[in-house]
Amino acid sequence: MRNSRFQDRLIIVLPVVICAVLYARAAALAQPVPVPDVNLSIGQSDNPAEVVDSVKLLVFLSLLALAPAFIVMMTSFTRIIVVLSFLRSALGTQQAPPNQVLIGLALFLTVFVMAPVYHEINEQAIKPYLDNQITQEQAQELGARPLKSFMLKQTREKDLALFVGLARTEQPQNAEAVSLSVLVPAFIISELKTAFQIGFLLYVPFLIIDMVVASTLMSVGMFMLPPVMISLPFKILLFVMVDGWYLVVKSLVESFHP
């Protein structure tokens, strides 16, 4: 009996002792991991080039913090993601494709659509500014021109006139005279209107399928069977047969005025 108790205690204590010994051995052999020393300080400098580099770094970090707002509100991202969300709702597939896939597709389509604008901004504003050929104010003005031109081509005159009137400013004589504070909200509501129009057109064929399936089930007396369960495979089949993703992406990209 005593031997049995001793064996039970030994079985419990022995793993704990082994783990403690291994841990002590690993701690003794462990080498300290070198950690890089990052130091950001503000001080006086006699070299103007160092000051210019610091200002450029500060501008870059500021733009990086505001990048998500720029991508969502001042590019083609808004229209694309809203249309893709309408498409998923029209199909009735709930979380397929998932949000991560839709947002990723919308981001890459945004990069594709905005590539000419980004290239123009890079050539006219960013490169000359990094080469110290123009000042920061000139870089901002030159960089805003291609973006303004793109947004004005997508913005309706009615929406632009609305925010010009709300801002109580004079009627701009040309595109360069339009301020971003007026143009950006006008551009956003124009994009939302266009996205809802495209979403309505996407809903129509799938709505017809839902109505046909619901009418058929009612005519045969199957009231307890949800029509969505029957119509969903037919909607997916229709979308695959017409190559829906090709048509949707093609229509989305071509809907932006170059």
Side-chain angles (χ1 to χ4, degrees):
M1 188 68 177
R2 292 182 179 178
N3 293 335
S4 177
R5 291 181 180 178
F6 177 77
Q7 291 177 357
D8 293 340
R9 293 177 181 177
L10 184 62
I11 292 174
I12 297 174
V13 173
L14 186 59
V16 177
V17 174
I18 294 175
C19 291
V21 172
L22 292 177
Y23 178 79
R25 182 64 177 173
L29 296 177
Q31 297 294 330
V33 179
V35 179
D37 184 16
V38 180
N39 184 17
L40 296 177
S41 60
I42 299 176
Q44 296 182 353
S45 175
D46 298 330
N47 188 1
E50 295 181 357
V51 179
V52 173
D53 294 337
S54 300
V55 172
K56 290 180 179 179
L57 178 61
L58 180 61
V59 172
F60 174 75
L61 294 177
S62 301
L63 292 177
L64 190 63
L66 297 174
F70 291 155
I71 293 175
V72 173
M73 297 303 177
M74 301 177 67
T75 63
S76 57
F77 180 83
T78 301
R79 182 189 305 186
I80 294 173
I81 191 62
V82 172
V83 170
L84 294 179
S85 300
F86 270 119
L87 175 62
R88 185 175 64 180
S89 299
L91 283 170
T93 53
Q94 301 300 326
Q95 295 298 322
N99 293 330
Q100 293 85 347
V101 175
L102 291 184
I103 294 175
L105 177 59
L107 284 174
F108 279 101
L109 289 178
T110 300
V111 172
F112 179 80
V113 172
M114 301 297 296
V117 179
Y118 295 152
H119 177 73
E120 191 173 353
I121 293 174
N122 185 48
E123 293 295 329
Q124 295 183 5
I126 298 178
K127 283 186 176 181
Y129 175 68
L130 294 178
D131 295 336
N132 297 325
Q133 297 177 0
I134 58 177
T135 62
Q136 181 179 348
E137 292 76 11
Q138 292 174 335
Q140 292 176 355
E141 182 179 355
L142 294 174
R145 288 179 183 176
L147 194 58
K148 281 185 178 181
S149 177
F150 171 81
M151 290 193 293
L152 283 172
K153 291 177 181 178
Q154 323 304 325
T155 305
R156 294 177 175 82
E157 294 183 1
K158 180 180 179 182
D159 298 330
L160 184 60
L162 169 64
F163 285 95
V164 170
L166 292 176
R168 298 180 181 178
T169 59
E170 296 182 358
Q171 190 72 21
Q173 301 299 325
N174 50 43
E176 296 182 358
V178 180
S179 64
L180 287 175
S181 61
V182 172
L183 179 57
V184 171
F187 169 75
I188 293 172
I189 64 174
S190 295
E191 287 292 281
L192 289 175
K193 182 176 181 180
T194 303
F196 273 64
Q197 290 174 345
I198 299 175
F200 170 77
L201 296 177
L202 289 174
Y203 254 100
V204 172
F206 301 116
L207 181 61
I208 294 175
I209 294 177
D210 286 334
M211 295 176 62
V212 171
V213 171
S215 300
T216 303
L217 292 178
M218 291 181 62
S219 62
V220 298
M222 302 178 66
F223 299 100
M224 302 301 295
L225 182 63
V228 178
M229 295 181 60
I230 307 300
S231 62
L232 179 59
F234 289 101
K235 290 191 288 186
I236 296 177
L237 178 62
L238 173 65
F239 191 72
V240 172
M241 289 181 61
V242 301
D243 200 358
W245 289 112
Y246 171 85
L247 294 176
V248 170
V249 171
K250 180 176 181 292
S251 302
L252 268 175
V253 174
E254 292 180 348
S255 66
F256 293 96
H257 303 288

